[in-house]
PDB file of all heavy atoms in Angstrom:
ATOM      1  N   PHE S  74      26.699 -22.886  -2.176  1.00  0.00           N
ATOM      2  CA  PHE S  74      28.134 -22.752  -1.919  1.00  0.00           C
ATOM      3  C   PHE S  74      28.361 -21.325  -1.414  1.00  0.00           C
ATOM      4  O   PHE S  74      28.398 -20.368  -2.189  1.00  0.00           O
ATOM      5  CB  PHE S  74      28.946 -23.011  -3.194  1.00  0.00           C
ATOM      6  CG  PHE S  74      30.428 -23.033  -2.936  1.00  0.00           C
ATOM      7  CD1 PHE S  74      31.045 -24.192  -2.459  1.00  0.00           C
ATOM      8  CD2 PHE S  74      31.209 -21.901  -3.123  1.00  0.00           C
ATOM      9  CE1 PHE S  74      32.411 -24.216  -2.184  1.00  0.00           C
ATOM     10  CE2 PHE S  74      32.566 -21.906  -2.844  1.00  0.00           C
ATOM     11  CZ  PHE S  74      33.171 -23.067  -2.384  1.00  0.00           C
ATOM     12  N   ILE S  75      28.471 -21.222  -0.110  1.00  0.00           N
ATOM     13  CA  ILE S  75      28.489 -19.888   0.511  1.00  0.00           C
ATOM     14  C   ILE S  75      29.904 -19.517   0.974  1.00  0.00           C
ATOM     15  O   ILE S  75      30.543 -20.268   1.710  1.00  0.00           O
ATOM     16  CB  ILE S  75      27.528 -19.849   1.725  1.00  0.00           C
ATOM     17  CG1 ILE S  75      26.114 -20.316   1.320  1.00  0.00           C
ATOM     18  CG2 ILE S  75      27.483 -18.434   2.331  1.00  0.00           C
ATOM     19  CD1 ILE S  75      25.472 -19.526   0.194  1.00  0.00           C
ATOM     20  N   ILE S  76      30.366 -18.340   0.539  1.00  0.00           N
ATOM     21  CA  ILE S  76      31.696 -17.867   0.950  1.00  0.00           C
ATOM     22  C   ILE S  76      31.563 -17.111   2.271  1.00  0.00           C
ATOM     23  O   ILE S  76      30.703 -16.258   2.419  1.00  0.00           O
ATOM     24  CB  ILE S  76      32.282 -16.914  -0.121  1.00  0.00           C
ATOM     25  CG1 ILE S  76      32.260 -17.602  -1.492  1.00  0.00           C
ATOM     26  CG2 ILE S  76      33.699 -16.487   0.249  1.00  0.00           C
ATOM     27  CD1 ILE S  76      32.435 -16.645  -2.654  1.00  0.00           C
ATOM     28  N   LYS S  77      32.407 -17.451   3.209  1.00  0.00           N
ATOM     29  CA  LYS S  77      32.359 -16.779   4.512  1.00  0.00           C
ATOM     30  C   LYS S  77      33.407 -15.659   4.589  1.00  0.00           C
ATOM     31  O   LYS S  77      34.397 -15.687   3.870  1.00  0.00           O
ATOM     32  CB  LYS S  77      32.591 -17.803   5.623  1.00  0.00           C
ATOM     33  CG  LYS S  77      31.451 -18.829   5.749  1.00  0.00           C
ATOM     34  CD  LYS S  77      31.612 -19.769   6.923  1.00  0.00           C
ATOM     35  CE  LYS S  77      32.788 -20.709   6.763  1.00  0.00           C
ATOM     36  NZ  LYS S  77      32.549 -21.911   5.946  1.00  0.00           N
ATOM     37  N   GLN S  78      33.168 -14.718   5.488  1.00  0.00           N
ATOM     38  CA  GLN S  78      34.105 -13.587   5.583  1.00  0.00           C
ATOM     39  C   GLN S  78      35.530 -14.063   5.860  1.00  0.00           C
ATOM     40  O   GLN S  78      36.477 -13.559   5.269  1.00  0.00           O
ATOM     41  CB  GLN S  78      33.651 -12.625   6.685  1.00  0.00           C
ATOM     42  CG  GLN S  78      34.412 -11.301   6.643  1.00  0.00           C
ATOM     43  CD  GLN S  78      34.103 -10.416   7.843  1.00  0.00           C
ATOM     44  OE1 GLN S  78      34.107 -10.861   8.990  1.00  0.00           O
ATOM     45  NE2 GLN S  78      33.804  -9.160   7.575  1.00  0.00           N
ATOM     46  N   GLU S  79      35.680 -15.070   6.721  1.00  0.00           N
ATOM     47  CA  GLU S  79      37.040 -15.513   7.055  1.00  0.00           C
ATOM     48  C   GLU S  79      37.711 -16.250   5.888  1.00  0.00           C
ATOM     49  O   GLU S  79      38.921 -16.468   5.897  1.00  0.00           O
ATOM     50  CB  GLU S  79      37.069 -16.356   8.346  1.00  0.00           C
ATOM     51  CG  GLU S  79      36.289 -17.640   8.286  1.00  0.00           C
ATOM     52  CD  GLU S  79      34.861 -17.467   8.813  1.00  0.00           C
ATOM     53  OE1 GLU S  79      34.318 -16.334   8.669  1.00  0.00           O
ATOM     54  OE2 GLU S  79      34.303 -18.428   9.366  1.00  0.00           O
ATOM     55  N   ASP S  80      36.918 -16.620   4.886  1.00  0.00           N
ATOM     56  CA  ASP S  80      37.490 -17.202   3.661  1.00  0.00           C
ATOM     57  C   ASP S  80      38.166 -16.130   2.808  1.00  0.00           C
ATOM     58  O   ASP S  80      38.894 -16.442   1.870  1.00  0.00           O
ATOM     59  CB  ASP S  80      36.378 -17.819   2.800  1.00  0.00           C
ATOM     60  CG  ASP S  80      35.870 -19.133   3.366  1.00  0.00           C
ATOM     61  OD1 ASP S  80      36.627 -19.795   4.112  1.00  0.00           O
ATOM     62  OD2 ASP S  80      34.720 -19.499   3.075  1.00  0.00           O
ATOM     63  N   GLU S  81      37.839 -14.882   3.052  1.00  0.00           N
ATOM     64  CA  GLU S  81      38.347 -13.726   2.288  1.00  0.00           C
ATOM     65  C   GLU S  81      37.710 -13.608   0.912  1.00  0.00           C
ATOM     66  O   GLU S  81      37.273 -12.544   0.522  1.00  0.00           O
ATOM     67  CB  GLU S  81      39.872 -13.772   2.097  1.00  0.00           C
ATOM     68  CG  GLU S  81      40.670 -13.550   3.347  1.00  0.00           C
ATOM     69  CD  GLU S  81      42.158 -13.314   3.035  1.00  0.00           C
ATOM     70  OE1 GLU S  81      42.678 -13.888   2.037  1.00  0.00           O
ATOM     71  OE2 GLU S  81      42.803 -12.575   3.792  1.00  0.00           O
ATOM     72  N   ASP S  82      37.708 -14.708   0.140  1.00  0.00           N
ATOM     73  CA  ASP S  82      37.222 -14.606  -1.240  1.00  0.00           C
ATOM     74  C   ASP S  82      36.852 -15.991  -1.760  1.00  0.00           C
ATOM     75  O   ASP S  82      37.012 -16.997  -1.078  1.00  0.00           O
ATOM     76  CB  ASP S  82      38.291 -13.964  -2.124  1.00  0.00           C
ATOM     77  CG  ASP S  82      39.644 -14.633  -1.963  1.00  0.00           C
ATOM     78  OD1 ASP S  82      39.690 -15.868  -1.763  1.00  0.00           O
ATOM     79  OD2 ASP S  82      40.663 -13.934  -2.035  1.00  0.00           O
ATOM     80  N   CYS S  83      36.364 -16.033  -3.007  1.00  0.00           N
ATOM     81  CA  CYS S  83      35.924 -17.320  -3.569  1.00  0.00           C
ATOM     82  C   CYS S  83      37.096 -18.274  -3.777  1.00  0.00           C
ATOM     83  O   CYS S  83      36.942 -19.490  -3.652  1.00  0.00           O
ATOM     84  CB  CYS S  83      35.152 -17.105  -4.877  1.00  0.00           C
ATOM     85  SG  CYS S  83      36.119 -16.479  -6.258  1.00  0.00           S
ATOM     86  N   HIS S  84      38.257 -17.741  -4.079  1.00  0.00           N
ATOM     87  CA  HIS S  84      39.411 -18.592  -4.357  1.00  0.00           C
ATOM     88  C   HIS S  84      39.780 -19.435  -3.148  1.00  0.00           C
ATOM     89  O   HIS S  84      40.072 -20.624  -3.248  1.00  0.00           O
ATOM     90  CB  HIS S  84      40.600 -17.733  -4.793  1.00  0.00           C
ATOM     91  CG  HIS S  84      40.177 -16.620  -5.690  1.00  0.00           C
ATOM     92  ND1 HIS S  84      39.617 -16.848  -6.921  1.00  0.00           N
ATOM     93  CD2 HIS S  84      40.161 -15.267  -5.518  1.00  0.00           C
ATOM     94  CE1 HIS S  84      39.291 -15.689  -7.472  1.00  0.00           C
ATOM     95  NE2 HIS S  84      39.609 -14.718  -6.638  1.00  0.00           N
ATOM     96  N   THR S  85      39.759 -18.795  -1.995  1.00  0.00           N
ATOM     97  CA  THR S  85      40.090 -19.483  -0.754  1.00  0.00           C
ATOM     98  C   THR S  85      39.006 -20.504  -0.416  1.00  0.00           C
ATOM     99  O   THR S  85      39.307 -21.645  -0.048  1.00  0.00           O
ATOM    100  CB  THR S  85      40.226 -18.454   0.391  1.00  0.00           C
ATOM    101  OG1 THR S  85      41.133 -17.446  -0.038  1.00  0.00           O
ATOM    102  CG2 THR S  85      40.715 -19.105   1.657  1.00  0.00           C
ATOM    103  N   ALA S  86      37.756 -20.077  -0.535  1.00  0.00           N
ATOM    104  CA  ALA S  86      36.653 -20.979  -0.211  1.00  0.00           C
ATOM    105  C   ALA S  86      36.729 -22.238  -1.073  1.00  0.00           C
ATOM    106  O   ALA S  86      36.522 -23.359  -0.597  1.00  0.00           O
ATOM    107  CB  ALA S  86      35.317 -20.261  -0.428  1.00  0.00           C
ATOM    108  N   ILE S  87      37.068 -22.048  -2.339  1.00  0.00           N
ATOM    109  CA  ILE S  87      37.133 -23.197  -3.256  1.00  0.00           C
ATOM    110  C   ILE S  87      38.326 -24.089  -2.921  1.00  0.00           C
ATOM    111  O   ILE S  87      38.190 -25.312  -2.830  1.00  0.00           O
ATOM    112  CB  ILE S  87      37.174 -22.701  -4.730  1.00  0.00           C
ATOM    113  CG1 ILE S  87      35.807 -22.080  -5.094  1.00  0.00           C
ATOM    114  CG2 ILE S  87      37.525 -23.840  -5.684  1.00  0.00           C
ATOM    115  CD1 ILE S  87      35.781 -21.326  -6.416  1.00  0.00           C
ATOM    116  N   GLU S  88      39.480 -23.507  -2.698  1.00  0.00           N
ATOM    117  CA  GLU S  88      40.646 -24.344  -2.361  1.00  0.00           C
ATOM    118  C   GLU S  88      40.404 -25.090  -1.045  1.00  0.00           C
ATOM    119  O   GLU S  88      40.723 -26.279  -0.934  1.00  0.00           O
ATOM    120  CB  GLU S  88      41.939 -23.513  -2.296  1.00  0.00           C
ATOM    121  CG  GLU S  88      43.183 -24.404  -2.129  1.00  0.00           C
ATOM    122  CD  GLU S  88      44.512 -23.665  -2.274  1.00  0.00           C
ATOM    123  OE1 GLU S  88      44.621 -22.781  -3.147  1.00  0.00           O
ATOM    124  OE2 GLU S  88      45.462 -23.999  -1.512  1.00  0.00           O
ATOM    125  N   ASN S  89      39.819 -24.394  -0.070  1.00  0.00           N
ATOM    126  CA  ASN S  89      39.513 -25.065   1.197  1.00  0.00           C
ATOM    127  C   ASN S  89      38.573 -26.257   0.987  1.00  0.00           C
ATOM    128  O   ASN S  89      38.771 -27.324   1.571  1.00  0.00           O
ATOM    129  CB  ASN S  89      38.869 -24.079   2.182  1.00  0.00           C
ATOM    130  CG  ASN S  89      39.898 -23.132   2.791  1.00  0.00           C
ATOM    131  OD1 ASN S  89      41.113 -23.371   2.716  1.00  0.00           O
ATOM    132  ND2 ASN S  89      39.419 -22.045   3.389  1.00  0.00           N
ATOM    133  N   PHE S  90      37.565 -26.059   0.160  1.00  0.00           N
ATOM    134  CA  PHE S  90      36.624 -27.144  -0.141  1.00  0.00           C
ATOM    135  C   PHE S  90      37.363 -28.334  -0.750  1.00  0.00           C
ATOM    136  O   PHE S  90      37.154 -29.490  -0.362  1.00  0.00           O
ATOM    137  CB  PHE S  90      35.558 -26.610  -1.116  1.00  0.00           C
ATOM    138  CG  PHE S  90      34.529 -27.621  -1.535  1.00  0.00           C
ATOM    139  CD1 PHE S  90      33.292 -27.687  -0.886  1.00  0.00           C
ATOM    140  CD2 PHE S  90      34.761 -28.501  -2.596  1.00  0.00           C
ATOM    141  CE1 PHE S  90      32.327 -28.615  -1.284  1.00  0.00           C
ATOM    142  CE2 PHE S  90      33.803 -29.429  -2.995  1.00  0.00           C
ATOM    143  CZ  PHE S  90      32.578 -29.493  -2.338  1.00  0.00           C
ATOM    144  N   LEU S  91      38.245 -28.042  -1.688  1.00  0.00           N
ATOM    145  CA  LEU S  91      38.961 -29.118  -2.398  1.00  0.00           C
ATOM    146  C   LEU S  91      39.891 -29.873  -1.445  1.00  0.00           C
ATOM    147  O   LEU S  91      39.992 -31.094  -1.493  1.00  0.00           O
ATOM    148  CB  LEU S  91      39.758 -28.543  -3.571  1.00  0.00           C
ATOM    149  CG  LEU S  91      38.928 -27.911  -4.697  1.00  0.00           C
ATOM    150  CD1 LEU S  91      39.853 -27.264  -5.737  1.00  0.00           C
ATOM    151  CD2 LEU S  91      38.015 -28.935  -5.372  1.00  0.00           C
ATOM    152  N   ILE S  92      40.558 -29.118  -0.572  1.00  0.00           N
ATOM    153  CA  ILE S  92      41.487 -29.760   0.365  1.00  0.00           C
ATOM    154  C   ILE S  92      40.716 -30.618   1.363  1.00  0.00           C
ATOM    155  O   ILE S  92      41.092 -31.761   1.654  1.00  0.00           O
ATOM    156  CB  ILE S  92      42.367 -28.708   1.084  1.00  0.00           C
ATOM    157  CG1 ILE S  92      43.317 -28.046   0.072  1.00  0.00           C
ATOM    158  CG2 ILE S  92      43.153 -29.343   2.226  1.00  0.00           C
ATOM    159  CD1 ILE S  92      44.165 -26.911   0.614  1.00  0.00           C
ATOM    160  N   LYS S  93      39.596 -30.074   1.832  1.00  0.00           N
ATOM    161  CA  LYS S  93      38.789 -30.830   2.789  1.00  0.00           C
ATOM    162  C   LYS S  93      38.285 -32.126   2.162  1.00  0.00           C
ATOM    163  O   LYS S  93      38.279 -33.182   2.785  1.00  0.00           O
ATOM    164  CB  LYS S  93      37.598 -29.956   3.228  1.00  0.00           C
ATOM    165  CG  LYS S  93      36.993 -30.387   4.541  1.00  0.00           C
ATOM    166  CD  LYS S  93      35.924 -29.431   5.022  1.00  0.00           C
ATOM    167  CE  LYS S  93      35.068 -30.124   6.087  1.00  0.00           C
ATOM    168  NZ  LYS S  93      33.854 -29.357   6.375  1.00  0.00           N
ATOM    169  N   LYS S  94      37.891 -32.027   0.921  1.00  0.00           N
ATOM    170  CA  LYS S  94      37.289 -33.177   0.249  1.00  0.00           C
ATOM    171  C   LYS S  94      38.349 -34.151  -0.267  1.00  0.00           C
ATOM    172  O   LYS S  94      38.196 -35.367  -0.196  1.00  0.00           O
ATOM    173  CB  LYS S  94      36.451 -32.687  -0.936  1.00  0.00           C
ATOM    174  CG  LYS S  94      35.623 -33.786  -1.604  1.00  0.00           C
ATOM    175  CD  LYS S  94      34.795 -33.228  -2.767  1.00  0.00           C
ATOM    176  CE  LYS S  94      33.963 -34.321  -3.387  1.00  0.00           C
ATOM    177  NZ  LYS S  94      32.661 -34.497  -2.705  1.00  0.00           N
ATOM    178  N   LEU S  95      39.471 -33.598  -0.797  1.00  0.00           N
ATOM    179  CA  LEU S  95      40.412 -34.458  -1.521  1.00  0.00           C
ATOM    180  C   LEU S  95      41.807 -34.521  -0.903  1.00  0.00           C
ATOM    181  O   LEU S  95      42.688 -35.213  -1.428  1.00  0.00           O
ATOM    182  CB  LEU S  95      40.541 -33.973  -2.976  1.00  0.00           C
ATOM    183  CG  LEU S  95      39.238 -33.834  -3.783  1.00  0.00           C
ATOM    184  CD1 LEU S  95      39.535 -33.190  -5.134  1.00  0.00           C
ATOM    185  CD2 LEU S  95      38.570 -35.196  -3.973  1.00  0.00           C
ATOM    186  N   GLY S  96      42.033 -33.816   0.171  1.00  0.00           N
ATOM    187  CA  GLY S  96      43.336 -33.890   0.833  1.00  0.00           C
ATOM    188  C   GLY S  96      44.474 -33.393  -0.038  1.00  0.00           C
ATOM    189  O   GLY S  96      44.354 -32.350  -0.679  1.00  0.00           O
ATOM    190  N   ASP S  97      45.569 -34.125  -0.066  1.00  0.00           N
ATOM    191  CA  ASP S  97      46.788 -33.720  -0.775  1.00  0.00           C
ATOM    192  C   ASP S  97      46.532 -33.263  -2.203  1.00  0.00           C
ATOM    193  O   ASP S  97      47.180 -32.339  -2.703  1.00  0.00           O
ATOM    194  CB  ASP S  97      47.778 -34.887  -0.823  1.00  0.00           C
ATOM    195  CG  ASP S  97      48.699 -34.857   0.399  1.00  0.00           C
ATOM    196  OD1 ASP S  97      48.417 -34.054   1.325  1.00  0.00           O
ATOM    197  OD2 ASP S  97      49.679 -35.623   0.418  1.00  0.00           O
TER     198      ASP S  97
END
Side-chain angles (χ1 to χ4, degrees):
Chain S
F74 186 83
I75 306 303
I76 306 164
K77 293 185 293 278
Q78 192 188 47
E79 62 267 30
D80 285 336
E81 290 192 328
D82 50 35
C83 67
H84 320 297
T85 308
I87 291 169
E88 188 171 321
N89 284 344
F90 179 97
L91 295 175
I92 293 175
K93 201 174 163 192
K94 188 179 181 87
L95 306 173
D97 270 10

